[in-house]
Amino acid sequence: MSKKLGLALGAGGSRGVAHIGVLRALEEEGITPSYISGSSMGAIIGACYAKGMSIDEMLGAVLKLKTVQLLDPATLPVKQMGLFKGKKMNAMLLNNIGDIDFSELKIPFTCVANDLLSGKCVTLGEGKVTDAVCASSTIPGVFKPFRLNDMLLIDGGVLCRVPTEQVRAMGAEAVIAVDVLTNTYEERTHIKNLMSMVFRVYDMMDGNAAAMKKKLTMRENEIWIEPEIPNMSQYVTKDMDRAYEIGYSSTKAKMEEIKQMLLN
């Protein structure tokens, strides 16, 4: 490769398992990113890969994961600003990433979160990796906001679905951006309850936000991979093996374009 490659992995809940398929396809061609930046689920996958976890290790871990393993109900959800405390999610991240600093990662990595106090998107790239990734993955209203230093942080995907500018700021000369949130607001026949309604609203926002970002910010030497994953909710841990396969095949389909970008 003649250009330094940056990988921008977007938000997407369980649909983000497609990121692992993307990484598999790149590895098979001997393509390794020089920099990685992630948002929400993209931050989780990106951090694991930057640490040095293998594709098989990551895939094995996510395919065994059940939603209930991440849910620890808050005692005062209104006061705590979330239905769940998030401690189980943090423990899961520690188990897979370890108690390490950003400086210990094998590939330079950052992730994005949003500060409720300042109202701004922030890039996290120092200190404990798991703290930053947990903050980036804190779905508002579902998990209580994550306190870090003087910030009150929530999911990176709220303001930054796919962190292309962040990975360029790290030094990337070419960017592969992965958006797994296409087809998230397919037509429904009914909405079952309050949580279904909330998740439906997020899906509707997600389906438009990444497309708008691509339209407004796409630059030269930037390729977007947008795996089409129909009939899969980002909030349910099923069909994740299908998301992986679609991420893999979507990247294979773009491989010649990727190679040309990196060489020219």
Side-chain angles (χ1 to χ4, degrees):
M1 295 188 301
S2 60
K3 294 187 180 75
K4 292 182 179 178
L5 174 64
L7 193 58
L9 302 179
S14 59
R15 293 166 65 101
V17 177
H19 292 315
I20 303 177
V22 173
L23 290 166
R24 170 82 79 186
L26 294 175
E27 272 197 2
E28 288 181 351
E29 301 292 336
I31 298 173
T32 302
S34 300
Y35 309 98
I36 302 173
S37 188
S39 177
S40 196
M41 186 59 166
I44 295 174
I45 301 298
C48 289
Y49 195 69
K51 176 208 171 183
M53 282 185 71
S54 71
I55 299 298
D56 289 337
E57 287 174 329
M58 288 191 289
L59 191 59
V62 298
L63 291 183
K64 290 187 295 185
L65 188 65
K66 303 298 181 185
T67 304
V68 69
Q69 294 175 275
L70 303 177
L71 304 182
D72 44 359
T75 52
L76 298 170
V78 174
K79 183 177 181 179
Q80 295 179 359
M81 295 180 284
L83 295 174
F84 303 99
K85 293 180 284 188
K87 290 183 178 180
K88 283 188 175 182
M89 182 170 69
N90 200 15
M92 180 273 293
L93 293 173
L94 274 170
N95 184 55
N96 287 281
I97 299 172
D99 188 22
I100 61 175
D101 286 355
F102 277 87
S103 60
E104 299 176 73
L105 295 172
K106 296 180 179 180
I107 300 174
F109 168 76
T110 62
C111 61
V112 293
N114 294 285
D115 181 17
L116 285 173
L117 301 180
S118 69
K120 296 179 180 179
C121 179
V122 296
T123 302
L124 305 172
E126 297 180 344
K128 296 295 183 184
V129 177
T130 51
D131 284 349
V133 172
C134 198
S136 182
S137 310
T138 298
I139 303 170
V142 178
F143 295 106
K144 62 182 292 188
F146 193 94
R147 292 190 179 275
L148 184 63
N149 301 326
D150 57 350
M151 298 179 290
L152 192 60
L153 300 173
I154 58 170
D155 199 289
V158 171
L159 294 179
C160 184
R161 310 306 306 179
V162 185
T164 54
E165 295 303 306
Q166 286 77 2
V167 81
R168 285 190 182 275
M170 296 172 74
E173 300 165 320
V175 172
I176 296 175
V178 188
D179 168 24
V180 301
L181 289 175
T182 55
N183 281 340
T184 56
Y185 58 112
E186 298 164 305
E187 187 174 341
R188 299 285 189 270
T189 57
H190 67 285
I191 305 296
K192 294 185 293 185
N193 51 41
L194 175 60
M195 289 305 297
S196 294
M197 185 199 73
V198 171
F199 290 150
R200 175 64 168 166
V201 170
Y202 285 154
D203 279 342
M204 292 166 66
M205 293 189 298
D206 289 341
N208 286 279
M212 184 60 69
K213 175 180 173 58
K214 176 183 176 182
K215 181 179 179 180
L216 294 175
T217 68
M218 187 173 180
R219 293 164 54 181
E220 186 178 1
N221 293 322
E222 184 170 306
I223 291 172
W224 282 64
I225 298 172
E226 299 166 294
E228 295 278 344
I229 316 172
N231 302 313
M232 180 180 180
S233 170
Q234 61 179 308
Y235 304 107
V236 179
T237 54
K238 66 177 182 178
D239 291 335
M240 292 194 292
D241 52 343
R242 182 165 63 93
Y244 164 79
E245 293 292 346
I246 294 173
Y248 175 83
S249 60
S250 298
T251 307
K252 283 292 189 180
K254 293 254 187 178
M255 195 55 68
E256 289 307 313
E257 187 180 349
I258 290 169
K259 289 179 179 179
Q260 286 299 314
M261 175 182 72
L262 294 175
L263 291 173
N264 292 338

